[in-house]
Amino acid sequence: MASAIGILDLQGDVIEHIAHFESIGVSTRRVKAPADLSGLSGLVIPGGESTCLWRLLRLFELDRAIADAVGQQKIKVWGTCAGAILLATRIRNEPAKLGLLDIEVARNAFGSQLDSFHSRALIPKISDREVPLTFIRAPKILQAGKDVEVLLAVDDYIAMVESTAALATIFHPEMTPCLAFHRYFARKCGVQRSGTDRV
Ligand code: GLN
């Protein structure tokens, strides 16, 4: 069984995701080129800036390689914030990018960087306790398609969804001490954990 999760290493929250997976005994590999995807069970597309990430994804020819690997069910993918934008099949007022998850998103929908905020929520599939959420110039998920499960909806927006192939969060679990989201994605990918879990 393949046992590592890739972290797209072009821009954004790379080391924070690696540290979280290491804390739960999951091996990671930095992904900078198509060959780096080989044998992985999952891929995290981290938060950062989706326009920048999209330019780099195309420059390094990772756009097609990721779409193929997910389409052929070789890997599962988790997009956090900018990563969720890249996964969406519809982006308000601009063309879709990877288009691997049937959701509509609106970028920067909470306002400017200064409108970033923390909150907490109960997400039963993730934990039986409230988990911390950090939103940084986040998008809103406005709609989810019929094969997409909504894991967290708040007020007028959706904050977390999943399909068979993909997971998307508009907030940043890698920026809080909570490891529950990384455990959940590792389980979704069928990745084995070694050693003792550090909480
Ligand atoms: N505002 C960014 C974008 O539109 C996303 C921010 C983030 O990933 N924290 O790409």
Side-chain angles (χ1 to χ4, degrees):
M1 180 168 76
S3 62
I5 300 231
I7 314 295
L8 182 71
D9 183 12
L10 301 177
Q11 189 256 341
D13 279 353
V14 177
I15 53 173
E16 293 84 353
H17 277 292
I18 292 174
H20 270 44
F21 283 118
E22 276 178 4
S23 295
I24 57 167
V26 167
S27 308
T28 56
R29 183 193 304 156
R30 290 174 184 252
V31 172
K32 286 177 179 287
D36 298 331
L37 291 168
S38 168
L40 291 176
S41 303
L43 175 73
V44 174
I45 304 183
E49 186 59 39
S50 56
T51 44
C52 174
L53 280 163
W54 182 234
R55 282 181 78 134
L56 294 170
L57 276 170
R58 281 180 300 161
L59 191 66
F60 295 106
E61 298 176 350
L62 271 160
D63 53 339
R64 177 70 63 84
I66 292 171
D68 286 350
V70 175
Q72 293 163 15
Q73 300 173 11
K74 290 184 184 152
I75 61 169
K76 311 265 187 200
V77 65
W78 174 17
T80 54
C81 204
I85 295 168
L86 293 172
L87 290 180
T89 46
R90 281 157 290 143
I91 306 174
R92 192 158 275 190
N93 301 323
E94 60 181 87
K97 307 299 188 281
L98 290 168
L100 295 171
L101 178 60
D102 186 10
I103 53 173
E104 179 182 2
V105 299
R107 293 181 61 201
N108 304 325
F110 294 90
S112 75
Q113 194 82 3
L114 291 175
D115 299 305
S116 299
F117 62 99
H118 299 287
S119 67
R120 302 182 69 82
L122 188 64
I123 309 176
K125 264 195 137 170
I126 297 299
S127 172
D128 55 9
R129 290 185 217 162
E130 280 198 341
V131 286
L133 308 175
T134 295
F135 297 76
I136 304 172
R137 211 155 59 89
K140 284 183 180 175
I141 299 173
L142 305 174
Q143 283 184 350
K146 69 172 173 43
D147 295 327
V148 176
E149 184 182 354
V150 174
L151 300 191
L152 177 64
V154 188
D155 303 329
D156 65 336
Y157 62 92
I158 298 165
M160 179 173 188
V161 296
E162 81 172 324
S163 65
T164 307
L167 185 66
T169 52
I170 63 169
F171 46 87
H172 289 263
E174 79 287 0
M175 305 234 11
T176 78
C178 174
L179 299 170
F181 294 90
H182 291 76
R183 281 195 195 101
Y184 185 76
F185 186 61
R187 222 170 31 243
K188 184 176 176 74
C189 297
V191 167
Q192 277 169 348
R193 291 150 52 180
S194 63
T196 320
D197 222 309
R198 270 182 278 141
V199 184

